[in-house]
Amino acid sequence: MSETFAAMSGTLAARAAALDAADQLADLRKLFALDDGVYLDGNSLGALPRHVPARVHEVLTREWGELRIRSWGESGWWTAPERIGDRIAPLVGASAGQIVVGDSTSVNVFKAVVAATRLAPEGRDEILVDATTFPTDGYIAESAARMTGHRLVPVAPAEVPGALGPRTAAVLLNHVDYRTGRLHDLPGLTAAVHAAGAVAIWDLCHSAGALPVGLDAHGVDLAVGCTYKYLNGGPGSPAYIYVAERHQAAFDSPLPGWTSHADPFGMTPAYAPADGAVRGRVGTPDILSMLALEASLDVWDGVSVEAVRAKSLALTDFFLECVAGYVPEGRVTSVTPAAHAERGSQVALRCEDAEPVMSALIARRVVGDLRRPDVLRFGFTPLYVGFADVERAARALAEVLA
């Protein structure tokens, strides 16, 4: 290690210690099951809240093991999708009664896209989709377009306003780009979609729990999101769908399951949709993972999304500063926007030999992930990532690349 590197390391380590000492969210880390490594992959799978195993054990042994079928009523299983939706609502800027939890993000994207085409004015036959989107969103949108007789138009988010027209029925966009961490302009793009007379659908997988979303404030029509990233719900935890209250009476799901029926236990052959967000339900709720998610959301009690966003930006700023200070020039290039208004809660670095570099980092107990062919991704979950973690990760990256 050179004297210059050692001096820089001492300076940045001292800065990290001071920032951690002033961090008002620092105590939340103890709520999670973490070791002494650095975990920067919460944008793929959030860490386990420590109290969740006890809650799952209670569900298994008492609610399922003892009460059995009675738990649908006595333990609140039946109403869990709406109850948990109301707990997620404040984290994405929604009032109660507009979010229902269940199914996967992919299934909810399908519901939202097809329902949006049914909400749109007659005669519109185009669906615009984020050309940079997570692949599944594109696959689902393409299939929905074929099934509904619409034309699919892939377009970069920044080019959406120019692509909108009288034929546009619906627009499906990602709030944060999963590769680069770019934060797209949800308020501005939603307003543009509405000005064109179309329906706006947002995928919140990489923003919910990391930054303010403002679904109600910005007039979003439909939204979907997963719960296993920044919401820490566990692997495969159920996703959710948001249906703005003004659309609920007309929301026509392409998957009308028995639990979204107005009288689910009437078992009638004809479908009659329930009122409200319940229309977003399909089949029997996946209770074990759903109640694990509900318990996980306890870590948000008393925590403001605004405070989380402030720390997220501070963490990513500091990481970029540490990378610039430690890593030899030219070895990595940030593809995450520097501007706060355009940055989510991750930093993506373009790096030659990204795969062996990430493997070497993981061997040093600094866990991020990669997107082929050449992008290193580092996700910063403010509830449990500290500034010392950030400094250590950047230093380890420099050591790997030296």
Side-chain angles (χ1 to χ4, degrees), residues 157-158 174-187 189 206-207 211-212 309 312-313 316-317 320 334-348:
N174 276 254
H175 197 191
V176 173
D177 186 289
Y178 78 101
R179 283 191 186 90
T180 67
R182 176 179 289 277
L183 173 64
H184 296 303
D185 180 11
L186 182 147
L189 290 171
H206 286 268
S207 57
L211 53 91
R309 175 60 168 165
S312 165
L313 291 172
T316 49
D317 278 345
L320 289 168
S334 176
V335 295
T336 300
H340 285 181
E342 299 174 6
R343 187 194 310 165
S345 199
Q346 74 177 53
V347 171

XYZ file of all heavy atoms in Angstrom, residues 157-158 174-187 189 206-207 211-212 309 312-313 316-317 320 334-348:
321
model
N -37.266 6.130 -21.539
C -38.116 7.002 -20.712
C -38.016 8.482 -21.065
O -39.036 9.180 -21.116
C -37.621 6.714 -19.302
C -37.160 5.299 -19.360
C -36.525 5.154 -20.718
N -36.812 8.974 -21.329
C -36.652 10.389 -21.649
C -37.351 10.769 -22.948
O -37.664 11.950 -23.169
C -35.167 10.741 -21.729
N -40.314 2.090 -15.576
C -39.627 1.800 -14.317
C -39.242 3.098 -13.638
O -38.722 4.015 -14.282
C -38.356 0.982 -14.579
C -38.640 -0.494 -14.696
O -38.343 -1.261 -13.804
N -39.234 -0.886 -15.816
N -39.458 3.173 -12.338
C -39.081 4.387 -11.615
C -37.561 4.527 -11.538
O -37.016 5.610 -11.713
C -39.691 4.358 -10.211
C -39.713 5.686 -9.535
N -40.008 5.828 -8.203
C -39.462 6.942 -9.981
C -39.949 7.105 -7.876
N -39.622 7.797 -8.938
N -36.863 3.409 -11.264
C -35.406 3.397 -11.212
C -34.901 2.294 -12.129
O -35.364 1.161 -12.053
C -34.883 3.172 -9.777
C -33.371 2.994 -9.768
C -35.277 4.340 -8.869
N -33.945 2.627 -12.995
C -33.353 1.650 -13.895
C -32.556 0.618 -13.101
O -31.681 0.977 -12.314
C -32.439 2.367 -14.892
C -31.893 1.437 -15.963
O -31.047 0.592 -15.618
O -32.300 1.561 -17.131
N -32.861 -0.650 -13.311
C -32.241 -1.693 -12.494
C -30.759 -1.850 -12.778
O -30.004 -2.318 -11.916
C -32.965 -3.037 -12.699
C -32.603 -3.763 -13.974
C -31.712 -4.824 -13.964
C -33.148 -3.382 -15.195
C -31.380 -5.499 -15.131
C -32.826 -4.041 -16.359
C -31.945 -5.102 -16.327
O -31.601 -5.758 -17.484
N -30.295 -1.481 -13.968
C -28.871 -1.613 -14.291
C -28.064 -0.431 -13.766
O -27.055 -0.603 -13.098
C -28.665 -1.687 -15.809
C -28.980 -3.012 -16.452
C -28.462 -3.014 -17.889
N -28.855 -4.220 -18.609
C -29.972 -4.340 -19.298
N -30.825 -3.330 -19.355
N -30.263 -5.452 -19.947
N -28.512 0.763 -14.112
C -27.703 1.953 -13.859
C -28.040 2.687 -12.578
O -27.243 3.495 -12.105
C -27.856 2.947 -15.022
O -29.210 3.447 -15.029
C -27.555 2.282 -16.358
N -29.223 2.444 -12.033
C -29.649 3.199 -10.864
C -30.206 4.560 -11.203
O -30.438 5.382 -10.300
N -30.447 4.841 -12.485
C -31.009 6.141 -12.879
C -32.450 6.256 -12.394
O -33.271 5.365 -12.611
C -30.957 6.319 -14.401
C -31.617 7.616 -14.881
C -31.526 7.782 -16.378
N -30.157 8.082 -16.776
C -29.609 9.294 -16.758
N -30.318 10.328 -16.343
N -28.359 9.459 -17.145
N -32.762 7.379 -11.753
C -34.110 7.677 -11.286
C -34.827 8.487 -12.356
O -34.361 9.551 -12.755
C -34.043 8.471 -9.977
C -35.352 9.025 -9.413
C -36.303 7.898 -9.023
C -35.074 9.934 -8.220
N -35.955 7.967 -12.830
C -36.704 8.660 -13.870
C -37.720 9.630 -13.259
O -38.094 9.521 -12.084
C -37.391 7.645 -14.779
C -36.429 6.775 -15.529
N -35.451 7.282 -16.350
C -36.271 5.421 -15.566
C -34.735 6.303 -16.867
N -35.220 5.164 -16.403
N -38.150 10.560 -14.062
C -39.003 11.668 -13.627
C -40.460 11.224 -13.550
O -41.239 11.456 -14.481
C -38.824 12.836 -14.604
C -39.674 14.054 -14.238
O -40.240 14.086 -13.124
O -39.775 14.965 -15.088
N -40.828 10.617 -12.443
C -42.193 10.118 -12.292
C -43.229 11.237 -12.384
O -44.219 11.097 -13.117
C -42.323 9.328 -10.991
C -43.672 8.687 -10.687
C -43.494 7.382 -9.916
C -44.566 9.626 -9.870
N -43.060 12.356 -11.681
C -44.087 13.408 -11.799
C -44.225 13.949 -13.219
O -45.346 14.076 -13.737
C -43.576 14.489 -10.841
C -42.691 13.779 -9.880
C -42.040 12.695 -10.680
N -43.227 12.654 -16.201
C -43.667 11.683 -17.196
C -45.129 11.306 -16.998
O -45.869 11.111 -17.971
C -42.773 10.448 -17.162
C -41.354 10.681 -17.682
C -40.472 9.455 -17.416
C -41.367 10.999 -19.172
N -37.380 -0.869 -7.631
C -36.089 -0.347 -7.183
C -36.201 1.022 -6.522
O -35.191 1.710 -6.348
C -35.112 -0.307 -8.353
C -34.606 -1.659 -8.737
N -33.452 -2.198 -8.224
C -35.114 -2.602 -9.559
C -33.262 -3.398 -8.720
N -34.266 -3.674 -9.534
N -37.422 1.412 -6.147
C -37.571 2.701 -5.462
C -38.357 2.600 -4.163
O -38.054 3.328 -3.208
C -38.226 3.722 -6.387
O -39.486 3.280 -6.852
N -36.774 5.672 -1.476
C -36.961 7.097 -1.737
C -38.450 7.408 -1.833
O -39.268 6.514 -2.055
C -36.235 7.492 -3.029
C -36.539 6.686 -4.296
C -37.681 7.311 -5.093
C -35.304 6.598 -5.169
N -38.828 8.673 -1.655
C -40.241 9.037 -1.776
C -40.745 8.803 -3.198
O -40.021 9.055 -4.166
C -40.250 10.534 -1.427
C -39.010 10.758 -0.631
C -37.993 9.809 -1.206
N -34.213 8.681 2.336
C -33.700 9.246 1.088
C -32.466 10.118 1.349
O -31.485 10.052 0.588
C -34.793 10.067 0.408
C -34.336 10.812 -0.855
C -33.824 9.860 -1.909
N -33.656 10.545 -3.205
C -32.981 10.054 -4.213
N -32.389 8.872 -4.112
N -32.897 10.708 -5.357
N -29.626 7.824 1.938
C -29.279 7.133 0.698
C -28.376 7.991 -0.178
O -27.355 7.526 -0.699
C -30.555 6.765 -0.067
O -30.279 6.412 -1.405
N -28.748 9.236 -0.347
C -27.944 10.133 -1.170
C -26.574 10.374 -0.543
O -25.561 10.450 -1.241
C -28.678 11.452 -1.383
C -29.921 11.359 -2.270
C -30.693 12.671 -2.260
C -29.556 10.972 -3.699
N -24.466 7.155 -1.181
C -24.003 7.007 -2.558
C -22.998 8.095 -2.927
O -22.036 7.839 -3.659
C -25.186 6.977 -3.542
O -26.078 8.074 -3.275
C -25.977 5.680 -3.389
N -23.208 9.313 -2.422
C -22.213 10.370 -2.631
C -20.857 9.955 -2.053
O -19.805 10.112 -2.697
C -22.647 11.667 -1.941
C -23.641 12.478 -2.751
O -23.807 12.222 -3.959
O -24.272 13.385 -2.165
N -19.104 7.183 -4.086
C -18.483 7.711 -5.296
C -17.204 8.483 -4.957
O -16.207 8.406 -5.682
C -19.470 8.597 -6.048
C -20.627 7.860 -6.738
C -21.699 8.839 -7.196
C -20.117 7.033 -7.910
N -18.497 5.323 -13.442
C -19.863 5.290 -12.928
C -20.848 5.521 -14.062
O -20.700 6.448 -14.860
C -20.072 6.351 -11.850
O -21.427 6.368 -11.437
N -21.867 4.653 -14.134
C -22.957 4.858 -15.094
C -24.219 5.321 -14.378
O -25.279 5.447 -14.983
C -23.240 3.571 -15.917
C -22.046 3.240 -16.786
C -23.591 2.402 -15.018
N -24.081 5.571 -13.074
C -25.176 6.122 -12.270
C -25.084 7.641 -12.309
O -23.995 8.192 -12.111
C -25.083 5.638 -10.816
O -25.154 4.209 -10.801
C -26.218 6.204 -9.980
N -26.185 8.331 -12.573
C -26.116 9.791 -12.651
C -25.583 10.426 -11.370
O -25.891 9.979 -10.256
C -27.576 10.195 -12.893
C -28.190 9.005 -13.543
C -27.530 7.823 -12.904
N -24.812 11.486 -11.526
C -24.285 12.214 -10.373
C -25.365 13.079 -9.731
O -25.365 13.281 -8.507
C -23.098 13.080 -10.800
N -26.293 13.586 -10.529
C -27.335 14.469 -10.009
C -28.276 13.707 -9.087
O -28.776 12.634 -9.434
C -28.118 15.072 -11.172
N -28.527 14.270 -7.903
C -29.403 13.603 -6.938
C -30.792 13.334 -7.502
O -31.394 12.289 -7.222
C -29.518 14.455 -5.676
C -28.304 14.409 -4.817
N -28.203 15.091 -3.626
C -27.122 13.757 -4.972
C -27.015 14.860 -3.080
N -26.345 14.059 -3.877
N -31.316 14.264 -8.285
C -32.671 14.113 -8.823
C -32.775 12.981 -9.824
O -33.881 12.569 -10.186
C -33.118 15.421 -9.478
N -31.623 12.444 -10.256
C -31.619 11.380 -11.259
C -31.020 10.082 -10.725
O -30.725 9.178 -11.503
C -30.822 11.844 -12.488
C -31.408 13.066 -13.164
C -30.528 13.581 -14.291
O -29.526 12.919 -14.627
O -30.845 14.648 -14.840
N -30.846 9.990 -9.417
C -30.170 8.816 -8.831
C -31.087 8.084 -7.859
O -31.722 8.693 -7.004
C -28.910 9.255 -8.079
C -28.057 8.079 -7.597
C -27.023 8.526 -6.576
N -26.251 9.668 -7.022
C -25.509 10.412 -6.195
N -25.460 10.127 -4.913
N -24.831 11.444 -6.660
N -31.143 6.747 -8.012
C -31.864 5.932 -7.047
C -30.990 5.653 -5.838
O -30.260 6.532 -5.373
N -31.014 4.420 -5.332
C -30.227 4.086 -4.149
C -29.182 3.028 -4.462
O -28.881 2.171 -3.629
C -31.140 3.612 -3.012
O -30.465 3.700 -1.766
N -28.628 3.089 -5.656
C -27.549 2.179 -6.017
C -26.521 2.926 -6.844
O -26.802 4.002 -7.384
C -28.062 0.976 -6.808
C -28.444 1.293 -8.251
C -28.883 0.059 -9.032
O -29.753 -0.682 -8.608
N -28.298 -0.145 -10.195
N -25.334 2.367 -6.913
C -24.286 2.890 -7.782
C -23.844 1.747 -8.678
O -23.544 0.646 -8.203
C -23.093 3.441 -6.985
C -21.929 3.778 -7.927
C -23.503 4.679 -6.193
N -23.822 2.000 -9.970
C -23.394 1.011 -10.953
C -22.095 1.495 -11.581
O -22.012 2.632 -12.068
C -24.467 0.819 -12.023
